[in-house]
Amino acid sequence: MNRPHEEISQQISLALDGALSLEEERQLRAHLQECPACATLWEEMRGVSGLFERPPLLAPPPLLAARVMRRIERRERWRAWMRRLAVSLLVLILLAMVLAIPLMGLSTLAVNHPALSQAVFRALVRAAEIAQALWLGLGILARAFLGRGEWLILAVWLVLAVAAGVGWMRLLRRARRIVAR
Amino acid sequence: MVKAQQGDQEAFARLVEAYQVPVYNLAYRMLGVATEAEDATQETFLRVYTRLKTYDPSRKFSSWILSIASHYCVDRLRRRRGAVSMEEVESWRWMADEGLAPEDKALQRERDRSIREVLATLPEPYRLVIILRYWHNLSYEEIAEITDSTESAVKSRLHRARQAVLEGLNHALEGQHPLEERKEEASLAQRGRALLQASLRRPRREPL
């Protein structure tokens, strides 16, 4: 009875977990027999413990494990894709570096031989003209078959722009999710 | 386990199957909402998957998983803004209990409701030790490992948690609960009293 109430309360908690030694248990029992306040506390604490004993277990949703595995598969696919992208970028950079060495030689060649550089420039202009002609031809074809060529081109452009925008947003979101992890 | 660590997805799927019940129930009791518990369980297993290579085999695997789950739930509770509405769980979702007659299902739902209400009033660290002690039947040592604390801290936290539950029930019984004016709270008081009495009547495992 001389022991402070708080200490008994702690002992009761330990007793509920079966964590007292035989001697400690005997002492506690003796104290409970002579202290009605602590005996009441013991009954109440037993009640609290009883509230949680053999608690109801909830069954997980039936597809939970499958959903987890699906997310993991998606994640793995994404990682594999990123790995491939990184490898391709590396290869591209290496290729560019390898190509840059002869190009450096080429630039001095172009300075020394202006006729050569003019020929290259003319070839590029011709290629651009061909591309333009192809594009115009496409427009004429579209107009001929559908009557409203400009609208079709505009629509194709819009679809392409939206697809690019959506793709970019998704890429950003995934990147952010990975960074957050 | 070793196969899963080497990236075998089938082996990992078996791990998910084996540990989904303890993880899901920990999340459900921590968060109090079944739908949130599902999300938390998925996130826990994703974290387990990404950290599998850092798992130290000298640790108990279940403790490691439960530690990830409890950290995630505590984080989630901290991020949570505002009160969440409790939803009832359909009775078929309760796991079979060999000591439970079919007609007791309604009682079990009622008991779940009371437990949820009591747990919701507890601060997170107290809630966590109560769940690990009673739902997962873990020792002080294991609880200490999961919660990154010491055995003596776990002992005192469990003690304080029990005291807090008792105080909460006493408040409800005495009608001092701040929300007592509301009807549901009166029923909490009644349930608290009934539960306390019912559990007192039940035979104990460790008679003193």
Side-chain angles (χ1 to χ4, degrees):
Chain A
M1 215 188 292
N2 300 334
R3 277 196 282 178
H5 188 80
E6 181 63 21
E7 197 191 318
I8 293 298
S9 180
Q10 172 84 60
Q11 295 274 308
I12 287 173
S13 185
L14 291 174
L16 288 171
D17 294 326
L20 287 186
S21 69
L22 281 177
E23 177 55 22
E24 287 168 326
E25 223 175 273
R26 196 192 57 74
Q27 281 176 9
L28 178 62
R29 203 182 300 141
H31 177 81
L32 294 182
Q33 268 166 2
E34 58 189 44
C35 175
C38 286
T40 308
L41 182 67
W42 164 248
E43 288 303 318
E44 285 177 336
M45 286 288 234
R46 257 179 33 166
V48 168
S49 196
L51 181 68
F52 300 119
E53 246 153 61
R54 283 174 61 118
L57 278 182
L58 196 59
L63 289 175
L64 182 80
R67 276 187 213 127
V68 169
M69 291 318 293
R70 210 163 47 224
R71 280 180 74 173
I72 285 174
E73 270 163 36
R74 224 181 301 154
R75 204 193 121 87
E76 281 304 303
R77 231 178 297 142
W78 168 245
R79 280 181 58 180
W81 197 79
M82 286 306 276
R83 254 198 309 269
R84 246 173 274 148
L85 191 74
V87 170
S88 337
L89 273 177
L90 203 74
V91 169
L92 267 177
I93 290 169
L94 281 175
L95 262 176
M97 278 163 72
V98 169
L99 285 176
I101 298 163
L103 273 179
M104 271 185 268
L106 264 183
S107 65
T108 47
L109 198 76
V111 172
N112 294 338
H113 306 272
L116 185 71
S117 56
Q118 269 171 20
V120 170
F121 181 71
R122 268 203 298 276
L124 283 175
V125 168
R126 206 41 59 79
E129 277 169 7
I130 290 169
Q132 197 192 2
L134 274 176
W135 179 248
L136 284 175
L138 215 71
I140 290 163
L141 270 179
R143 236 167 288 153
F145 284 106
L146 296 159
R148 290 168 157 235
E150 309 86 344
W151 288 110
L152 185 75
I153 292 169
L154 199 68
V156 168
W157 270 117
L158 271 176
V159 167
L160 280 177
V162 168
V166 168
W168 180 246
M169 294 300 280
R170 285 185 64 174
L171 204 72
L172 273 185
R173 209 167 44 223
R174 281 190 175 175
R176 222 176 291 140
R177 218 178 295 153
I178 284 173
V179 167
R181 237 173 249 153
Chain B
M1 170 61 229
V2 176
K3 273 188 180 174
Q5 236 173 345
Q6 286 161 354
D8 182 342
Q9 288 203 9
E10 260 178 54
F12 190 77
R14 281 197 295 277
L15 279 183
V16 175
E17 288 282 351
Y19 289 96
Q20 60 173 343
V21 173
V23 170
Y24 181 69
N25 276 277
L26 174 86
Y28 174 56
R29 291 304 167 185
M30 280 303 279
L31 304 168
V33 188
T35 44
E36 270 197 58
E38 178 180 355
D39 195 41
T41 308
Q42 287 192 23
E43 284 298 330
T44 299
F45 280 114
L46 278 181
R47 286 183 181 197
V48 168
Y49 184 80
T50 51
R51 296 177 195 175
L52 214 50
K53 289 211 165 68
T54 66
Y55 166 66
D56 168 14
S58 68
R59 270 184 92 174
K60 215 171 141 190
F61 190 65
S62 59
S63 298
W64 184 65
I65 285 196
L66 288 178
S67 148
I68 292 175
S70 45
H71 277 110
Y72 178 78
C73 289
V74 169
D75 279 352
R76 197 178 170 122
L77 285 171
R78 275 189 202 135
R79 274 184 276 130
R80 190 190 262 178
R81 286 188 198 93
V84 288
S85 56
M86 284 199 184
E87 83 236 306
E88 287 302 325
V89 171
E90 306 90 330
S91 55
W92 59 266
R93 292 203 41 206
W94 293 105
M95 291 186 78
D97 184 335
E98 67 278 10
L100 198 73
E103 61 267 25
D104 287 343
K105 287 267 178 183
L107 275 176
Q108 192 174 40
R109 259 171 82 163
E110 187 66 5
R111 189 169 169 223
D112 168 65
R113 209 176 137 84
S114 308
I115 288 176
R116 261 196 295 175
E117 283 171 353
V118 169
L119 286 180
T121 61
L122 287 181
E124 291 141 28
Y126 293 175
R127 205 184 303 169
L128 185 58
V129 288
I130 288 277
I131 293 166
L132 293 173
R133 162 72 183 81
Y134 289 100
W135 271 264
H136 297 87
N137 223 356
L138 297 177
S139 66
Y140 291 148
E141 192 188 349
E142 287 165 318
I143 298 176
E145 197 188 329
I146 290 169
T147 56
D148 296 328
S149 56
T150 60
E151 271 185 59
S152 63
V154 169
K155 280 180 200 170
S156 101
R157 215 171 281 168
L158 256 173
H159 171 225
R160 303 239 172 279
R162 285 177 174 130
Q163 275 183 325
V165 171
L166 185 59
E167 274 162 30
L169 286 177
N170 278 337
H171 270 287
L173 288 174
E174 288 161 18
Q176 287 172 356
H177 201 278
L179 297 167
E180 181 56 33
E181 305 98 72
R182 276 168 44 195
K183 235 181 175 174
E184 314 108 68
E185 296 304 322
S187 69
L188 170 73
Q190 284 159 6
R191 264 202 305 281
R193 191 203 321 257
L195 272 165
L196 208 56
Q197 281 165 358
S199 53
L200 285 174
R201 274 199 303 274
R202 224 184 292 164
R204 302 283 86 214
R205 259 182 274 174
E206 53 272 319
L208 203 85

